[in-house]
Structures are given as structure tokens and as C-alpha cells.
Amino acid sequence: NGIISRAKAVVSTQSTGKKQFKDKEKPTDIRLSNIEAAKAVADAIRTSLGPKGMDKMIQGKTGDVTITNDGATILKEMQVFHPAARMLVELSKAQDIEAGDGTTSVVVICGALLDAARKLLQRGIHPTTISEAFQVAQSKAVEILTSISQPMKLSDTESLIKMASTSLNSKVVSQYSSLLAPLSVEAIMDIIDPETATNVNLKDIRVVAKVGGTVEDTRLVKGIVLTQKAQATGVHRVERAKVALIQFCLSPPKTDMDNQVVISDYTQMDRIL
């Protein structure tokens, strides 16, 4: 009986291992799970696409509430942990860095392509074949877009303002596009060389928000805006003033530890001071 039972155990173990080796459904389930996770992110911001897109109200970890329809901002505030879904968040960041607009569009297009890939996978087409077909379609799309594109010069300020207004039409401040678009173009043109520039570093432009005003009070300052107040009383305006820029803190540094000093004699006070 002991020999027979051990023989049965060996046969069952071998048959189980053989079944696990031939289990072809697990890779398919993983692919579909990744596609569904990425599509969930795309569906979450799909309704915020375009000029008539709806704004999203997002509450952060600290309780701060953000209202926006910008795809990059929404995805940045969302806590996405799935690896495949995180790729769509990185895609939106890359689009924001490279073009500064279209962050929602790229995520929605990616979700649509993933949905098409899911249907092809269910028809039994190999993933490599689907990927190669997407590469061919990408090359053809770039060829078509290049053929219908129109070259533009940076000296054409009117066209630049129109493009900036188009980007602002889907934002919360769309009604102020006639004011903000010329300011944006002027700020960009001031920090680049129109003859040689191919891109712009937006870190060279600082946006300072002031409480108490409206969007209509926005203006472009060609220089440095200091948010600190003057320490001297009675000084409101100084002509041809000399400004000292100090790159270190004048106040004594604060330690990471909390210290307490107990004084029992008034003479010790003089020694501490």
C-alpha cells in the first residue's frame, strides 16, 4: 500500500506539473489585465477632452482641492500604482514636457489603441504581429502629418498668438485667452533666439501668483520679481537703486533637535546673550 500511494503521488505531481507547463491562459490574462488597467486611466480623463470637456475636482493628500481639466495635472494628482497604468502617466508627463499641450489627447489615443489591441488579441493574433502593425501605422501617420503640415516662422507673431489661444480654449481661463495668449508669446520670444531656437526652457519663465487681484491684472515683467517686502519703513519707491543678491541665509540656521535651556541665575542670562 505504501508503494502504491507513493506511485500515485508521483503521477499526480507529474500530471500537475505538466498541466502548469501547458497553461497558456495565464499570459493572456496578464495582457488583458494590463490593458484594462491602462484603459481605466484613459477613461477617467476622457470626459475632460476638448473645449467642452468637464473639469475634475481632485482632493490631494493634504486636503487641498484642485479643479482642472488638464490631463497632466489630473494624472499627477491621481495615485496610480499599477505598472501598466503608470506608463500612461509617464506618457502624459513626456507630452507636457515636449509640447506643453495635448496631455489628455495622447492618453485617450493610447487607450483607444489598447482597446483595438485587446480585440485583436481575442481573435488569436500574436502580440508581436500587433506591435509590428502599430509600427507600420505610426510611420504612415507621421508621413501623412508631415505632408499636410505648413512651415511657420517664429517671426509670425499673429500665428503664434492664434496657436496659444487654441491651447487656452480648453482651459479654465479660456475667456481670458485674448489677454494671456499675447503675454505668453511675448514671454517666450524674450528668452529665445528666433533665428536658432528649436525648443524653449520654460524654467526661464516664472509665474508669480498674487492674492487679491484678478486674471485681468496679469502683466509681463521683463526682469526679476521679488516677493519679499522691504524691511525699511516708509520706503515705497527708489529710483536707480542698488540691489544686493545674497545666496545664503543671514539668519542663524535652525537645528533639527529641540533644545531647552534652564536659567536659575540672572547672571547666566548675560553669558548666554
Side-chain angles (χ1 to χ4, degrees):
N1 292 334
I3 296 174
I4 293 174
S5 62
R6 282 187 293 175
K8 288 182 178 179
V10 172
V11 172
S12 62
T13 303
Q14 290 178 349
S15 62
T16 304
K18 191 174 182 181
K19 183 178 179 181
Q20 291 177 352
F21 181 75
K22 287 188 176 182
D23 187 8
K24 295 183 179 180
E25 296 180 356
K26 189 173 182 180
T28 304
D29 293 340
I30 294 175
R31 293 191 189 98
L32 294 178
S33 174
N34 292 337
I35 291 175
E36 291 299 328
K39 275 186 83 283
V41 175
D43 293 339
I45 65 173
R46 186 188 301 274
T47 55
S48 63
L49 179 65
K52 296 185 179 181
M54 295 180 291
D55 295 339
K56 304 292 184 183
M57 180 181 292
I58 307 170
Q59 184 175 7
K61 297 179 181 178
T62 58
D64 298 336
V65 177
T66 304
I67 301 177
T68 180
N69 65 350
D70 181 62
T73 305
I74 296 173
L75 294 177
K76 183 176 65 176
E77 296 293 337
M78 291 174 60
Q79 297 182 7
V80 181
F81 300 102
H82 196 282
R86 287 291 305 173
M87 293 183 66
L88 265 69
V89 178
E90 298 300 325
L91 172 65
S92 180
K93 288 182 180 179
Q95 176 70 14
D96 190 25
I97 294 172
E98 183 65 25
D101 195 21
T103 53
T104 305
S105 302
V106 293
V107 176
V108 172
I109 292 175
C110 183
L113 292 176
L114 289 173
D115 188 34
R118 178 180 60 83
K119 296 177 181 178
L120 295 175
L121 287 172
Q122 292 175 346
R123 293 173 58 183
I125 301 177
H126 197 274
T128 304
T129 305
I130 299 174
S131 177
E132 292 176 352
F134 279 161
Q135 294 290 340
V136 175
Q138 176 195 1
S139 302
K140 188 63 177 178
V142 172
E143 179 183 344
I144 295 174
L145 290 174
T146 305
S147 62
I148 64 176
S149 63
Q150 298 180 358
M152 193 202 65
K153 297 181 179 180
L154 293 178
S155 58
D156 188 0
T157 307
E158 184 179 355
S159 298
L160 294 176
I161 293 176
K162 288 181 180 179
M163 288 188 289
S165 300
T166 303
S167 299
L168 290 172
N169 284 337
S170 60
K171 302 297 184 290
V172 180
V173 293
S174 58
Q175 62 268 29
Y176 300 102
S177 60
S178 60
L179 169 66
L180 298 179
L183 290 179
S184 303
V185 173
E186 186 179 356
I188 294 295
M189 298 304 294
D190 285 342
I191 63 174
I192 66 170
D193 184 4
E195 300 296 333
T196 59
T198 58
N199 207 333
V200 60
N201 186 8
L202 295 179
K203 293 182 179 180
D204 293 337
I205 300 176
R206 182 186 179 192
V207 180
V208 181
K210 290 295 183 180
V211 180
T214 62
V215 180
E216 296 176 349
D217 298 327
T218 304
R219 62 191 184 96
L220 177 63
V221 178
K222 299 181 180 181
I224 301 176
V225 177
L226 302 176
T227 57
Q228 288 77 12
K229 296 182 180 179
Q231 297 297 326
T233 58
V235 178
H236 300 285
R237 183 180 181 87
V238 178
E239 297 288 344
R240 300 181 180 274
K242 294 182 178 180
V243 180
L245 299 179
I246 303 175
Q247 297 183 354
F248 56 87
C249 185
L250 294 177
S251 60
K254 296 181 180 180
T255 60
D256 296 334
M257 298 181 295
D258 294 333
N259 298 321
Q260 185 176 4
V261 179
V262 179
I263 300 174
S264 58
D265 188 3
Y266 72 92
T267 58
Q268 298 176 356
M269 178 68 73
D270 297 333
R271 295 178 58 185
I272 294 176
L273 296 177

